[in-house]
Amino acid sequence: MTDFTDPTGSGAEPEISDADLDSMLKGHRPLEGAPEVQRVADAMNALTSPPERSELAGYAKAMTAYGSTFAQPRSRRVAMIPSATGLRALASAAGAAVALGGVATIVFASGAMGPAHPTPVAPVATSATTDAAKPTPKPDKTGTPVGPDASGPAAFGLCNAWTHHQAQDKDKPGSSVAFRNLAKAAGGEAKIAAYCAKIPHPGSSGATKTPKGTSTSRTPKGTSTSKSKAPATPPGQSKTTLPTATLTTPGPVTTLPTNAP
Amino acid sequence: MAREDFAELLSKAQAGDEEAFSRLWLDLNPRLVRYLSLEPGGHAEDLAAETWISVIKGLRRFRGNEVEWRAWVFTTARRRALDAARRRSRRPREVLGDPSEQAWAVPDRSLGVLEDLSPGSVVALLSTLPAVQAEVLALRVIAGLPVETVAAMVGKSPGAVRVSAHRGLRTLAATLRSQGVTQ
């Protein structure tokens, strides 16, 4: 790659090597460089910083849209309840239920189905469900609730609840013991989103513990490592351009609209 | 942003697993909102919501790896943003210069001050760049997309995308230098 000269000839732009420019695109500070160059690198890095509250506000709407699109036929839905979301997410959140207050109410509103479906005798294969079967932490001797351990297996459930809280009532700070525990585990309230983003799904390969009895094979990695494929045509554009079996290069994806009056 | 379990998550989300989908959403929506904040209408969150509705409709038929997933979602977002720009452009007004340069971000030189390193402030600084430079930087950095993919999205050559990104960075540095940045 050749270096680029300033076509304006003004000399107003600082000299930055191509290597440094590429480094800055990745949010890395060049080893050497003027303060403003370092600052630009910091700015690029900030673009990939952890989520802010406002950026999670659309969660409920997205999940509603997803739920309505992927709603299962009734017979199928009933059959899935004990094995999927019902026992996994809700059970993992169970540890958080006692101290969560209003948010937990939201999360567990759908958990009312629980008693109608017998809990599997053998804990299923996730650290979260295994942990959820343990007694809920009791209040300490002073009567102060201790809440769930947000750095342990209850983290996933807590994060789910916290996300619901952000989506439903983002202006009201989560003051429950559970949320305080979560904030403590995350290193501060402002870091909860980043912390939660790293918590693996209890049933995923990224789970922190490998539960006993797991016999399901992992999805093979590396379905494709291609980096240069162009994006698929966006969904909903037309029936003929919805994504098909493989992504192909469609050429320019869009044409910028004119600003004709 | 890369996930080792992406293929598994995608597969589950395509099968109706809400938790898997929520993971995908949490991974991408914050960056989507930042990217869409370049659209000057001030409706980034609404556009992101529209984007997800389209993505959900096509989710079952999507095939690809994580980079292709991001490219797909951001391409959809770009369409929503361009639709919004098109709606705005229907308002009678005088248009000067190349309209394609004005359809996306409308540079506002008064915003060329980086007050802090919050994503919002940086996006505001990006919006002071020419539209193509701003969008290329956003797609390269925020979406984490490779040059070739960005080139296909914006309808330019990979070389032109590299030039735009580099010129954008240099312009930002020059802007900050003019502000007397010392750290």
Side-chain angles (χ1 to χ4, degrees):
Chain A
M1 193 189 324
T2 58
D3 204 355
F4 305 108
T5 56
D6 180 8
T8 66
S10 65
E13 296 176 359
E15 287 300 321
I16 312 173
S17 72
D18 283 342
D20 283 347
L21 286 168
D22 286 335
S23 180
M24 291 162 69
L25 281 174
K26 297 172 185 171
H28 301 156
R29 279 187 160 203
L31 292 177
E32 296 178 359
E36 66 269 18
V37 174
Q38 306 285 357
R39 184 73 165 171
V40 170
D42 291 345
M44 294 301 104
N45 193 41
L47 288 174
T48 60
S49 61
E52 298 189 336
R53 283 188 172 193
S54 62
E55 295 167 342
L56 300 173
Y59 180 81
K61 190 173 182 179
M63 294 310 296
T64 299
Y66 179 82
S68 61
T69 300
F70 282 80
Q72 300 287 337
R74 182 167 178 76
S75 57
R76 171 73 175 144
R77 185 168 64 236
V78 171
M80 288 180 63
I81 287 172
S83 60
T85 306
L87 286 183
R88 188 176 300 145
L90 298 183
S92 65
V98 171
L100 272 176
V103 176
T105 304
I106 296 170
V107 174
F108 280 85
S110 57
M113 69 183 79
H117 301 278
T119 304
V121 174
V124 190
T126 69
S127 56
T129 52
T130 302
D131 185 72
K134 296 177 182 175
T136 303
K138 297 275 195 302
D140 64 15
K141 291 178 180 178
T142 64
T144 304
V146 294
D149 177 8
S151 61
F156 182 76
L158 278 170
C159 285
N160 263 346
W162 181 83
T163 303
H164 277 279
H165 176 75
Q166 297 302 301
Q168 302 274 343
D169 204 4
K170 61 182 180 180
D171 295 329
K172 186 185 294 183
S175 57
S176 68
V177 174
F179 280 158
R180 286 202 297 272
N181 288 354
L182 184 58
K184 184 178 178 182
E189 187 178 349
K191 297 178 181 175
I192 291 178
Y195 176 75
C196 286
K198 294 175 183 173
I199 299 296
H201 184 291
S204 75
S205 58
T208 53
K209 294 179 183 176
T210 303
K212 293 179 182 178
T214 303
S215 59
T216 54
S217 60
R218 299 292 185 204
T219 303
K221 287 182 180 178
T223 52
S224 170
T225 55
S226 168
K227 294 174 64 178
S228 60
K229 279 188 177 179
T233 304
Q237 197 60 30
S238 73
K239 288 184 179 179
T240 57
T241 56
L242 282 170
T244 54
T246 56
L247 292 173
T248 56
T249 304
V253 178
T254 60
T255 302
L256 288 166
T258 61
N259 279 354
Chain B
M1 188 161 36
R3 274 187 169 276
E4 288 186 2
D5 60 346
F6 173 78
E8 183 181 0
L9 275 182
L10 176 64
S11 176
K12 287 182 175 179
Q14 290 175 318
D17 186 325
E18 289 189 357
E19 291 174 18
F21 176 75
S22 76
R23 287 282 169 188
L24 296 175
W25 187 93
L26 288 168
D27 277 353
L28 221 47
N29 191 69
R31 294 183 184 225
L32 207 53
V33 170
R34 291 170 195 179
Y35 169 68
L36 289 168
S37 295
L38 277 177
E39 208 285 320
H43 302 292
E45 291 171 12
D46 291 340
L47 292 173
E50 290 178 23
T51 299
W52 283 110
I53 288 173
S54 296
V55 167
I56 288 167
K57 286 179 181 174
L59 182 59
R60 283 194 179 95
R61 285 185 274 185
F62 173 80
R63 298 291 181 273
N65 61 23
E66 188 173 5
V67 171
E68 291 160 337
W69 161 255
R70 288 201 303 269
W72 186 53
V73 174
F74 275 85
T75 298
T76 306
R78 187 170 191 269
R79 281 193 178 278
R80 298 288 83 78
L82 291 172
D83 287 345
R86 191 177 292 115
R87 286 194 294 271
R88 277 200 322 281
S89 73
R90 291 189 184 125
R91 300 171 194 161
R93 65 176 182 175
E94 186 178 2
V95 176
L96 300 174
D98 180 357
S100 68
E101 291 289 314
Q102 299 183 24
W104 178 250
V106 177
D108 182 350
R109 300 295 172 187
S110 66
L111 295 176
V113 178
L114 187 59
E115 295 178 348
D116 55 53
L117 284 177
S118 69
S121 292
V122 178
V123 169
L125 180 66
L126 275 187
S127 71
T128 66
L129 294 172
V132 171
Q133 292 177 18
E135 187 177 13
V136 162
L137 281 177
L139 290 170
R140 293 280 286 122
V141 178
I142 299 175
L145 295 172
V147 168
E148 292 78 6
T149 303
V150 174
M153 289 177 73
V154 300
K156 296 189 178 297
S157 70
V161 166
R162 288 191 184 92
V163 171
S164 292
H166 286 190
R167 283 199 56 80
L169 290 175
R170 286 180 167 162
T171 303
L172 291 179
T175 300
L176 295 179
R177 182 169 65 181
S178 70
Q179 295 171 14
V181 170
T182 57
Q183 60 178 358

